[in-house]
């Protein structure tokens, strides 16, 4: 009889353990965050360029995810978009390159780190970043 009670007790412990065991962590939150980041970046690009790129495009998502994986932020994407709009938007030969595959490709870091000579005159800043962005 005692043997039966031990087995029943063990069974209950095992069942409770199975029921109340902590869930394995998933990356669904990260996927949601990345999805929101992609949407925000593409929306910002569309607003600044007057384009209609889709955040659901596989190529666009791949490019943005690659840069995010490298540690770049949404703010970095916005800076690149603003810089390149300033450089290319009014240039008929370059305006066509204001697109995800050009802006978010392998030259992304180079674009991010380009010095904007219009911001500097005699080695001092002549206007702030927010004013510069607002003028687009």
């Amino acid at each position: 009889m005692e043997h039966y009670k031990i087995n029943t007790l063990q069974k209950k412990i095992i069942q409770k353990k199975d029921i109340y065991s902590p869930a394995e962590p998933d990356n669904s939150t990260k996927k949601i965050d990345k999805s929101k980041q992609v949407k925000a970046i593409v929306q910002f690009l569309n607003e600044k360029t007057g384009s209609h790129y889709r955040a659901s495009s596989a190529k666009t998502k791949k490019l943005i995810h690659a840069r995010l994986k490298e540690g770049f932020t949404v703010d970095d994407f916005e800076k690149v978009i603003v810089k390149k709009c300033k450089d290319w938007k009014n240039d008929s030969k370059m305006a066509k390159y204001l697109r995800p595959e050009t802006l978010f490709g392998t030259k992304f870091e180079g674009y991010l780190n380009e010095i904007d000579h219009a911001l500097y005159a005699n080695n001092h800043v002549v206007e702030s970043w927010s004013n510069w962005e607002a003028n687009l």
Side-chain angles (χ1 to χ4, degrees):
M1 187 87 169
E2 264 183 76
H3 184 65
Y4 177 74
K5 285 183 180 179
I6 292 172
N7 285 339
T8 305
L9 183 58
Q10 287 175 341
K11 241 183 186 178
K12 286 182 182 180
I13 290 171
I14 291 169
Q15 287 173 345
K16 281 188 177 185
K17 182 180 175 194
D18 289 341
I19 293 170
Y20 297 108
S21 64
E24 290 293 318
D26 65 4
N27 292 326
S28 60
T29 305
K30 287 183 181 181
K31 288 178 185 176
I32 292 169
D33 289 345
K34 279 192 178 183
S35 175
K36 286 181 181 179
Q37 290 174 318
V38 171
K39 286 178 185 176
I41 292 164
V42 173
Q43 182 179 355
F44 188 83
L45 174 64
N46 287 337
E47 287 172 4
K48 295 299 179 189
T49 62
S51 301
H52 302 284
Y53 292 103
R54 294 179 303 165
S56 60
S57 164
K59 187 169 186 172
T60 298
K61 287 194 297 189
K62 183 179 177 182
L63 289 166
I64 293 172
H65 287 163
R67 302 297 79 84
L68 290 171
K69 188 174 179 181
E70 290 173 354
F72 294 105
T73 65
V74 172
D75 188 53
D76 293 332
F77 282 88
E78 291 177 357
K79 286 178 183 176
V80 166
I81 292 165
V82 169
K83 283 182 181 185
K84 298 325 288 177
C85 280
K86 187 168 172 59
D87 291 346
W88 297 345
K89 195 171 183 180
N90 296 319
D91 182 337
S92 60
K93 291 182 182 179
M94 297 303 291
K96 64 184 175 185
Y97 296 109
L98 292 170
R99 58 188 184 192
E101 57 262 43
T102 303
L103 298 174
F104 310 148
T106 56
K107 295 181 180 181
F108 182 82
E109 186 173 18
Y111 295 147
L112 181 62
N113 289 300
E114 283 179 354
I115 295 173
D116 181 12
H117 299 289
L119 284 178
Y120 296 91
N122 300 323
N123 294 328
H124 68 279
V125 177
V126 293
E127 59 181 297
S128 72
W129 170 257
S130 58
N131 288 341
W132 181 55
E133 180 184 358
N135 289 330
L136 285 179

